Amino acid sequence: MDTPTPMLPRKVSNVLHKRSPLPKPFSADDISQLGSITISSEEGNAWEDASEVFWDTPKRRTRRQTALYLLVAIGVTFGFITPFRTSSINLVFDPYKPIRPELSPTPGNTADPIKWLKENSNDKHAVTKGFLSRLQHGRPRAALISLVRNAELPGMIQSIRQMEEKWNAKYLYPWIFFNDEPFSDEFKTETQNATAAKCFYAVIPKEHWSLPEWIDEDRFINGLEYLGTIGVGKGWLVSYHHMCRWNSGFFYKHPILKDYDWYWRVEPDVHYFCKMSYDPFRFMRDNNLKYGFNMNILDDARSFPSLGPHTAAFMKTSPHLVHPNADLTWLVDTNTSDYNNCQFFSNFEIGSLNFWRSPQHQAYFDYLDQAGGFYYERWGDAPVHTLSIGMFVPKAEIWFFRDLGYQHDVNMHCPPNREVACDCQKTRLDENFYKLVPLQSPQRKPDDTCIRQFLGGKWLEKKDGWTMGVEKAFGGDGYHGYKLLEDE
Ligand SMILES: Nc1nc2c(ncn2[C@@H]2O[C@H](COP(=O)(O)OP(=O)(O)OP(=O)(O)O)[C@@H](O)[C@H]2O)c(=O)[nH]1
Ligand SMILES: [Mg+2]
């Protein structure tokens, strides 16, 4: 994904450059909190009141307390008392109310992610050791994955620190780093020192990171020059083409991921702003979700002029692969019927590895790879992932992680700051929509912002009397006519 040189406002960059502290180990206080949470239910208070009448000597009170602590300890040890369930009696929490697309019913999908979030979001539980061990038992086979160069170590450390502070220190999901060359000892030591989770380091096989034999090298070189001349971001870098192809069709095939089902993609030098009070991997698994995103935006369409037509051709040759409940309307330009260039910003992804390993995605990737557009043009993994998800996954299985604040260069997403604690200033739902489209790119923009096209229905409703033409005539960009809904 290409981006113009980042020029961050001072206020934002101050937040960004603050170093996050390393996760603290569990203290005796944390563990004792387990006991105090467990015994403070309403029933317990009633019992204590009644006991005042009969047990009135200090000695008896001490004995009673000791016996009570002993009972609680036995209960917790043998599982009669479940601290997190009991403690939820005391906690008043109003979890984030997710923004969801208009969904047509998918037969057989009974998942209720909103109910799940209500039942499983809880900051207080996460500090206790008992809760931690429950989290780690039977959890999804998931990892945080990063493709990164040795030279990007400082940026990687920054991403790890924020990810650990906001979330992973509680869960300790492993980190897996990928590189097209071996990682240096310095890289390994410093990354491992930045997290209490296990780190693994994988070198990408040569055959996943080199020019396929069917690519015409002269045409590729000409393409590099052309992309450089017109200024398509990083389009002249050979390695960038390998990277986009690897992220589109190879990362999930690496042997190191064979025992994993879920991944969260993390890039060096990105920022995570919000504390998370639930496990997104468990959330994805329990709710039958395949793909989670955080931004849905436009990129410079000069990098993939023939991706839309190739995808349409693929759908013609393999209509049986397209999911019966797929909704592609949000990806199609109403005027030209071509791909409208909307895409999930794929440097943030929480997803199912098994989806990418599916025959549908494999067939689509192979088709694109044979066509050569990863080299003759600069097809990015973001539009490829988006079109694949669009064709093969119903919207009910795609999740908008609006509650996670995130920044990649100039693109930033920050949710309404209510029950989630975020170190960022709230952004509009539509923010970032076309920041990656350079002025010199003549591409048309969709009638509605990408995220609203995805959400559909009420999210597209306009204020009475508003027209795009009039807004533009007064100097606006034509995307400010929406009736704003809750949590925007
Ligand atoms: N090991 C390795 N990693 C790479 C290479 N090229 C890109 N990457 C990684 O792939 C990810 C995407 O590359 P970037 O150059 O950041 O691409 P981008 O995000 O589209 O571009 P920017 O907007 O400039 O950040 C980053 O995590 C990079 O570290 C490469 O040649 N080798
Ligand atoms: Mg990047």
Side-chain angles (χ1 to χ4, degrees):
M1 187 77 41
D2 61 328
T3 52
T5 315
M7 290 291 291
L8 297 177
R10 224 174 145 174
K11 212 160 153 206
V12 177
S13 69
N14 284 346
V15 176
L16 304 185
H17 296 112
K18 245 198 282 165
R19 291 237 146 177
S20 321
L22 279 174
K24 282 191 224 101
F26 289 101
S27 66
D29 280 355
D30 292 335
I31 295 161
S32 67
Q33 201 178 334
L34 186 73
S36 63
I37 287 174
T38 311
I39 59 171
S40 57
S41 69
E42 274 183 48
E43 270 172 48
N45 291 338
W47 184 80
E48 266 187 55
D49 289 346
S51 70
E52 286 294 315
V53 181
F54 304 106
W55 296 41
D56 53 356
T57 69
K59 206 172 167 188
R60 279 188 173 162
R61 215 170 290 140
T62 312
R63 267 199 227 136
R64 173 167 58 87
Q65 275 174 356
T66 313
L68 185 60
Y69 281 130
L70 211 64
L71 268 173
V72 168
I74 293 169
V76 170
T77 310
F78 292 97
F80 308 134
I81 300 174
T82 322
F84 8 91
R85 215 176 289 143
T86 315
S87 67
S88 68
I89 295 166
N90 303 319
L91 302 172
V92 181
F93 61 91
D94 177 22
Y96 181 76
K97 290 183 195 70
I99 287 181
R100 301 202 72 195
E102 298 277 305
L103 294 173
S104 45
T106 312
N109 189 351
T110 53
D112 188 344
I114 296 178
K115 182 161 173 269
W116 190 100
L117 285 171
K118 273 197 189 122
E119 289 171 356
N120 293 278
S121 301
N122 193 329
D123 265 340
K124 295 198 178 164
H125 292 151
V127 295
T128 67
K129 202 165 187 175
F131 185 64
L132 180 75
S133 61
R134 179 176 173 262
L135 288 179
Q136 295 189 355
H137 180 74
R139 66 188 193 164
R141 303 189 307 172
L144 306 168
I145 68 169
S146 288
L147 171 70
V148 56
R149 303 179 190 91
N150 285 310
E152 291 170 304
L153 176 60
M156 194 69 244
I157 296 289
Q158 121 74 34
S159 300
I160 297 174
R161 279 179 198 273
Q162 284 193 356
M163 182 64 112
E164 291 293 326
E165 189 216 335
K166 301 299 181 203
W167 173 69
N168 193 46
K170 289 181 289 203
Y171 297 86
L172 297 179
Y173 279 102
W175 285 85
I176 304 181
F177 302 95
F178 295 91
N179 195 348
D180 57 312
E181 56 181 32
F183 281 108
S184 65
D185 289 342
E186 184 196 9
F187 187 96
K188 290 184 190 171
T189 310
E190 292 215 14
T191 45
Q192 182 61 86
N193 284 345
T195 168
K198 280 198 178 129
C199 294
F200 301 94
Y201 304 87
V203 175
I204 296 168
K206 259 267 148 313
E207 62 273 21
H208 291 180
W209 194 278
S210 41
L211 217 55
E213 65 201 7
W214 60 88
I215 295 296
D216 173 343
E217 279 190 40
D218 289 340
R219 190 173 161 197
F220 174 40
I221 303 295
N222 285 340
L224 290 176
E225 247 172 57
Y226 173 71
L227 292 168
T229 310
I230 63 170
V232 167
K234 298 188 180 173
W236 55 93
L237 296 175
V238 175
S239 61
Y240 198 88
H241 293 257
H242 291 322
M243 182 276 286
C244 292
R245 179 172 176 253
W246 184 79
N247 275 319
S248 299
F250 291 102
F251 76 97
Y252 49 87
K253 286 184 189 157
H254 196 288
I256 203 165
L257 286 176
K258 81 174 166 27
D259 292 328
Y260 291 91
D261 301 320
W262 303 93
Y263 72 102
W264 182 333
R265 177 165 156 189
V266 180
E267 281 204 6
D269 247 324
V270 297
H271 301 275
Y272 300 95
F273 298 117
C274 304
K275 286 245 186 241
M276 277 196 82
S277 59
Y278 60 93
D279 178 347
F281 293 127
R282 210 174 263 272
F283 172 68
M284 298 285 289
R285 182 193 65 183
D286 293 356
N287 292 292
N288 190 31
L289 296 163
K290 304 278 185 309
Y291 188 80
F293 72 94
N294 175 281
M295 288 185 220
N296 189 345
I297 57 180
L298 291 177
D299 194 4
D300 184 347
R302 297 172 305 167
S303 58
F304 48 84
S306 74
L307 179 61
H310 274 100
T311 303
F314 167 80
M315 285 172 69
K316 253 198 185 136
T317 57
S318 309
H320 59 287
L321 293 180
V322 177
H323 195 286
N325 289 92
D327 173 2
L328 284 155
T329 51
W330 70 276
L331 289 167
V332 176
D333 187 287
T334 41
N335 297 298
T336 61
S337 300
D338 194 6
Y339 172 40
N340 65 11
N341 310 322
C342 283
Q343 48 193 272
F344 300 126
F345 201 33
S346 62
N347 46 71
F348 175 105
E349 282 184 335
I350 303 176
S352 157
L353 289 164
N354 293 326
F355 166 71
W356 299 115
R357 293 169 181 143
S358 67
Q360 295 91 304
H361 176 70
Q362 204 48 54
Y364 176 52
F365 172 74
D366 290 343
Y367 186 90
L368 296 182
D369 204 23
Q370 286 293 328
F374 291 106
Y375 294 99
Y376 303 141
E377 297 178 9
R378 202 220 63 182
W379 292 353
D381 51 281
V384 171
H385 280 198
T386 305
L387 290 166
S388 182
I389 293 285
M391 283 186 286
F392 308 130
V393 179
K395 268 189 193 168
E397 296 172 20
I398 306 172
W399 191 257
F400 175 22
F401 280 99
R402 166 76 160 146
D403 53 339
L404 302 194
Y406 177 68
Q407 177 161 9
H408 176 281
D409 288 336
V410 288
N411 289 87
M412 174 170 148
H413 176 91
C414 185
N417 225 338
R418 292 197 297 115
E419 57 293 289
V420 280
C422 302
D423 305 333
C424 54
Q425 302 227 319
K426 179 188 155 181
T427 52
R428 273 179 66 210
L429 182 65
D430 303 303
E431 200 137 327
N432 308 300
F433 166 49
Y434 53 83
K435 274 188 181 160
L436 300 182
V437 181
L439 285 178
Q440 65 270 28
S441 171
Q443 76 196 56
R444 279 180 63 98
K445 297 193 187 77
D447 291 340
D448 290 291
T449 61
C450 289
I451 186 61
R452 285 180 197 273
Q453 296 227 149
F454 172 78
L455 295 170
K458 62 181 190 259
W459 301 99
L460 298 171
E461 281 174 23
K462 312 291 186 317
K463 291 173 207 154
D464 293 340
W466 172 91
T467 66
M468 186 178 258
V470 171
E471 188 192 317
K472 284 185 173 172
F474 281 91
D477 64 4
Y479 294 108
H480 285 77
Y482 300 105
K483 282 186 185 165
L484 298 186
L485 300 168
E486 201 193 341
D487 270 351
E488 285 206 38

